[in-house]
Every structure is written in C-alpha cells, then in structure tokens.
Amino acid sequence: MREQQLQDILRHMPAGVATLQGEALRFGFVNEAMQAVLGAPVQEGQAVADHPGTIPADLLDVMQQVFRSGRPYVAKSYGIPLPATDDQNPTPRYFDIALEPVREGDGPVSGLLLFAMDVTAQEEARQKAHHLAIETRRLDTRLRVLTETVPQITFTVDADGRYEYVSPQWYYYTGQPPTADLNAIWPLLIHPDDRLRVLYQSDSARAAGIGWSYEYRLRRHDGQYRWLLSRALPELHGPDQAVFWHGALTEVHDQRELAEALRRGEAELRFLADSIPELIWTATAEGFIDYYNEYTAEYSGLTKAELGPTGWINLLDPSEQAGAARRWVHSIATGEPYEGLFRMRRHDGRYRWHIIRARQLADERGPRWFGACTDVDDQHRLREVLQTQYDELARTNRDLDTFVYTASHDLKQPLLNLRGLFDELRRTATFDDPEEGEIVGMLDQALSQLDATLQELAETVEDQRGLSATPETLELRSVADEVLLGLRTQVQESGAVIDLDFAAAPTLTYGRANLRSILHNLFSNALKFADPTRPPHIQVRSGIANTGQPFLAVQDNGLGMKLPSHRAPVFQPFARQHPHIAGAGVGMYLVQRIVASRGGHLEVSSTVGAGTTFTVHWFGA
C-alpha cells in the first residue's frame, strides 16, 4: 500500500524520476515528467541504450560509469533537445540531472535512480544575463574609450557632490597626479573670483535635481587660468530622484576672447559711427533698417522708433520717395550696390542734397546692408554756381572769339582800301624826295605785315573753335600729304627735302581738324625759319614711347632757337625769336593749346644755327 502511494506521488512529481535496473540499465519505474523528457514511450525492462528517445550518448556513458563506480553524480543545466515535431525544429531544454546508485544493504550496485529537473527558464535567464553582461562590458569599454579620447574632460558626480569618475584628460589638463584627492583639489583650481559662484550653482542644481551649464576659469598645468564650459545632466533612479550627474568640461577660452574682441570691436564701431557727422545705418537682408547712428536722430529730429525700418526713405522729398524705394527694392533683390543723389529733410524742415550709398556684406551671419547718407548740399550748390560761371565764361569766350574773328575780317576791307590807294599813289604820284624808295618800301612792308597778322589772327580763332573736334582713326601719312599739298609752293621755292616715316605708328585716333592744324604749323614753321645758307631738310617720324603712348617728332636744320632749361617751354601768343621773319607768333601757341586739350604735351630741343626738334606726345601717360 505504501509502495503504491509512493509510486503515485513520484508519478505526478514535476521532476522526472526513473529507476534503472541491472548492469544493462533497464527501465523500471518511469513517471510522467520523465516520459516527457525521454520523448518516445518507455517499456518496462527496456535497456536505456535501446531506447529511441533523446538521451545523448555522453549521458549514457556517464550512467554506466556511475553504475560501475557506485559514486553519485549531479549535472547542472544539462541540455537535452526535445524531439522535433512536424512544424518545429528540436528545441533545446535544460535539466539538472542527478544519478544516484541503488544498493540492497551493503551489497553491490543493483541499479540507478535517475532524476531530471527542468531548469530551462533559469538557464535561459542566466544565458541572457551572461550575454547582457558581455554587452554591458563592451558598451562600457566603448564609452570609456570615447570619454578618454574626446578633447573634453568628462566626469560623474554623486548627490553629495563627490566625484565618482573623471576622465584622464583632467589630469593632463591640470597637471595633477592621479594620486591627488580629486574632491579636495578641484575647488582649489577654480579661479578665486569664480569659486564661490561655481560651488553655489552646482550645489543648487544638485539640490533641485536638475542639470547645470555655466562657465568658469580653471587653472591649467602651466598656471594659466582658462575659461571652460561645464555642463551636466542628472541620472534619475526612481521617480525624480537624481543619484548621479554626468557631465563634461569644454574649453571655450579662445571663443570667449574672440566674442569679447568682437563685442569691443562692435562697441568701437558704434562709437565711431555715432561720432561721424553723417547718417549711418544698417539693414537686414530683407532691407529693413535695424540701426541708426546718433547723428541720424540729431539731423532728422526723430527718434529711432519714429524713423522705423524705412526711415531714410520717409525723409526724402515726396517726389523722390517712390523712385528711391524702387531702386532700394531692386538692390535688395539683386545684391547690387545702391547709390543715388536725393534731397533729404532736416529737422528744421529744409531739404538738403545727400548722396545715399549702401553696400551688402555677406558673412557667416548672412547678408546685411551697410549704408550712409552724406550731406553734399554745399558742394552741390557750389557746383551749380561754378557751372553757371563756367557757362558764362564759355559764352563770353565764344563772344570774344566771334568779336576777334569778325574784327579781323572787318579790318580786311579797310586794309584792302589802303592797299589800293597806296598802289594808285605809287602809280600816278611822284615825290621829290631822295628817300622816296625807302619810304615806299617801308610802307609796303607795313601793309603786308598788317595783312599777315590779320590773316593769322583769323586762322587762330578758327582753329581754337575746332579744339573739340570728334576723334577718329586717321592715317598720319594721308593727313601729312594733305598738309604738304597746301604748302607745295613754299616747299618748291625753298627746295626743301621732307622725309616721312610713319611705320612705327601709322595711325592716330584724333580730331582731323586738330591734327591738320598741328602738322600745318610744325611744317610751315620749319620752312619759314630755314637757314638761308642751306636747303631745308625736314625729318618727320612717328613712334611709341616707353609709356606705351604714341608720339610724333618733327626735326629741321633751320635757324634754331634759344630755350629755357626745361624741355617743355610755354609758348605765348605774339612772342617771336626771329622778328626779321614775317609772322604773328601765334602758331606754336596754338599747337601747344591743341595738344594740351587732349591731355598731351609738347617737348622742344634746339640748337641755334643747327636746327630744332619738336616732339608731340599726343596723350598723357
């Protein structure tokens, strides 16, 4: 009866129980839990080795060794795969296996008692914990590598403010040995002016269970205090219960000094802008003005708030506001510089002329506009006065030229009348005077000289009217041939030899009338002031000077002239060096005026009795 009760108890135990009898280890009693472990049904008296179930070979070998040795054995978390089903692969299960030898009295081992306790859940939990521990160590290693390689000092502080961890960068930065008491030495390295503030802020943050972010100066290994940014966040255990604070120290000394320098620079620029007696302003990328200097308020009589984001446009004359606004919108859209001349209202209601300029500056903060309104009212009105005076002088000059031109032509008729009367007297009248011939010759010479003077005066006025002739590209040889054709009588009578060489610079962009006048005066002077002892020889050549500008040289072998020390003498009208030769002395004065009007200059080199060289530099260098 008791044996039957025992079998019922063992049969329903959650642990597998089986008896193995004899050396062949044949199954005797097998409960339901063991049946589940073995898989296939077990028949009483069947040998373990013949059972088609899932008992691994190594377990069978251990069973036989326990039977022969008589020593019990326990295997923890032994894996036995459950048999596969139609839709699932074999599933590993873990059991605590116990093998207990069975003896009858003191006799030999007659069998084994097999226990199998399913510990699959515990083993899987253990394995998960093991893998989790490995992953934790891996992540901890990675985190440690990261914190020890970043250019920052990382730290961990507990709720009492004691440092639990600090990265090696702290020791490198401060120069403290690893054996130093971190909690004692850290506050001493803070700048005395920052120490109390830092301690208070960190204590307040820990008491409130919140993070912190503040800057302070920490002494570096070289004794220099450097600005650092300290940031930390709390690690919460339980609802709102901060246990640790994890943070980092980042050096911001250079950035802070740069920001301070920028702040000082901006303050100095604002002071400078406020000191300039001009309307200085800045505008956003959209064109809205966000800054006016102090002078703007003084000039307009309005506050910065009253001026608003478009203040300078509102100060313009109403008739100019729409056009100025359209141009400003165009500059904002395209980025083109803004510039214009407008009338701007002063605080007393008077409108004054201003030049308004604005330029766009693009940097890391984005595009911005910088502008200025410069008062040019006095200059503008002075320019108007000067322009009026210039126009008046130009009109007077034209009137004077017209008067001289008219007078020179009007005087020709009386001169012709005198010439006619003189010729008639010389033909019909007789004089009883031994000096009759000399007197008649002197009178004839005076009339001829007066005629020549009036002719050259008229030509001079006519040429001066053509100083503003339109430039065009001219062939030098063609114009020179044209001038020489008009002088062919003088050339033939004097037997002059003229050499023309325009190969180096064959063309010139100049006014045709101006060029003809210059060449005519240079050629006629060379023929007029020829040495009577030898035929005239005139050499004309063009070229390019070292400055890159063209020039023309006219050299003769005539009488020559006395020159001052400089090579560019100033020729005055009616000034003559050879009064015995007929002429008015205005030719070279006219040449000099024409050349100077185009930005050029005239050089002269001469030797008395040997000849003269005139060099015309057409344009300034």
Side-chain angles (χ1 to χ4, degrees), residues 522 545 547 551-555 561 563 566-571 588 591-592 595 600-606 612-618:
L522 291 176
T547 60
F551 69 88
L552 178 74
V554 179
Q555 180 179 357
M561 66 179 74
L563 297 176
H566 51 83
R567 299 185 62 192
V570 177
F571 292 98
M588 293 311 301
V591 169
Q592 186 170 258
V595 172
H601 64 279
L602 183 65
E603 288 184 358
V604 184
S605 61
S606 182
T612 304
T613 300
F614 291 92
T615 303
V616 181
H617 295 273
W618 299 109

Side-chain angles (χ1 to χ4, degrees), residues 439-462:
I439 293 174
V440 171
M442 291 174 62
L443 184 58
D444 185 56
Q445 183 180 1
L447 289 174
S448 298
Q449 186 172 356
L450 178 59
D451 182 45
T453 299
L454 290 175
Q455 181 64 32
E456 289 191 5
L457 185 60
E459 291 178 356
T460 298
V461 173
E462 187 66 29

Side-chain angles (χ1 to χ4, degrees), residues 68-89:
R68 289 193 294 270
S69 65
R71 293 193 304 272
Y73 179 76
V74 177
K76 294 291 186 179
S77 300
Y78 182 73
I80 300 177
L82 291 182
T85 60
D86 295 339
D87 57 349
Q88 291 183 349
N89 294 325

Side-chain angles (χ1 to χ4, degrees), residues 342-587:
F342 304 99
R343 287 169 294 175
M344 181 171 287
R345 186 181 70 251
R346 199 167 58 180
H347 59 84
D348 58 0
R350 179 183 175 185
Y351 284 91
R352 294 178 62 85
W353 287 99
H354 283 72
I355 293 179
I356 302 179
R357 296 186 179 94
R359 300 292 185 273
Q360 187 185 70
L361 172 66
D363 55 17
E364 65 277 359
R365 295 181 294 177
R368 291 174 55 79
W369 288 86
F370 293 81
C373 305
T374 305
D375 190 327
V376 294
D377 191 78
D378 295 338
Q379 297 91 317
H380 186 80
R381 298 184 187 281
L382 178 61
R383 186 183 301 112
E384 291 180 342
V385 171
L386 291 177
Q387 184 64 43
T388 302
Q389 293 177 351
Y390 174 80
D391 294 341
E392 182 66 23
L393 287 173
R395 185 186 63 80
T396 303
N397 190 50
R398 288 193 300 270
D399 292 345
L400 182 60
D401 286 346
T402 302
F403 169 76
V404 173
Y405 185 75
T406 302
S408 63
H409 279 75
D410 291 346
L411 288 174
K412 281 184 175 292
Q413 187 59 42
L415 178 63
L416 291 174
N417 294 337
L418 286 174
R419 169 65 69 180
L421 290 173
F422 175 70
D423 290 341
E424 182 63 23
L425 286 173
R426 185 168 51 184
R427 184 179 63 82
T428 60
T430 59
F431 300 94
D432 187 15
D433 193 325
E435 298 180 353
E436 175 187 358
E438 182 179 352
I439 293 174
V440 171
M442 291 174 62
L443 184 58
D444 185 56
Q445 183 180 1
L447 289 174
S448 298
Q449 186 172 356
L450 178 59
D451 182 45
T453 299
L454 290 175
Q455 181 64 32
E456 289 191 5
L457 185 60
E459 291 178 356
T460 298
V461 173
E462 187 66 29
D463 286 338
Q464 288 194 116
R465 289 177 174 178
L467 287 178
S468 59
T470 303
E472 57 181 300
T473 302
L474 304 171
E475 294 284 343
L476 286 175
R477 178 171 289 276
S478 175
V479 179
D481 289 343
E482 181 181 343
V483 171
L484 291 174
L485 182 62
L487 297 173
R488 64 183 182 279
T489 302
Q490 293 93 314
V491 173
Q492 292 173 356
E493 290 178 353
S494 63
V497 176
I498 301 177
D499 297 329
L500 302 177
D501 180 11
F502 301 116
T507 62
L508 178 68
T509 301
Y510 220 70
R512 177 178 290 273
N514 299 152
L515 181 59
R516 289 185 69 259
S517 179
I518 292 171
L519 294 180
H520 179 272
N521 280 284
L522 291 176
F523 293 169
S524 62
N525 271 7
L527 294 171
K528 183 186 301 184
F529 298 104
D531 193 313
T533 62
R534 54 181 178 267
H537 184 197
I538 305 172
Q539 302 178 62
V540 183
R541 67 180 182 91
S542 64
I544 303 295
N546 295 331
T547 60
Q549 298 294 343
F551 69 88
L552 178 74
V554 179
Q555 180 179 357
D556 63 51
N557 62 342
L559 296 174
M561 66 179 74
K562 294 180 180 179
L563 297 176
S565 57
H566 51 83
R567 299 185 62 192
V570 177
F571 292 98
Q572 300 295 338
F574 310 111
R576 304 175 62 196
Q577 288 205 16
H578 302 287
H580 63 283
I581 298 177
V586 296

Side-chain angles (χ1 to χ4, degrees), residues 147-165:
T147 57
E148 293 181 0
T149 54
V150 295
Q152 292 175 309
I153 300 172
T154 56
F155 61 87
T156 298
V157 181
D158 64 14
D160 296 328
R162 298 186 62 83
Y163 287 91
E164 295 286 332
Y165 167 78

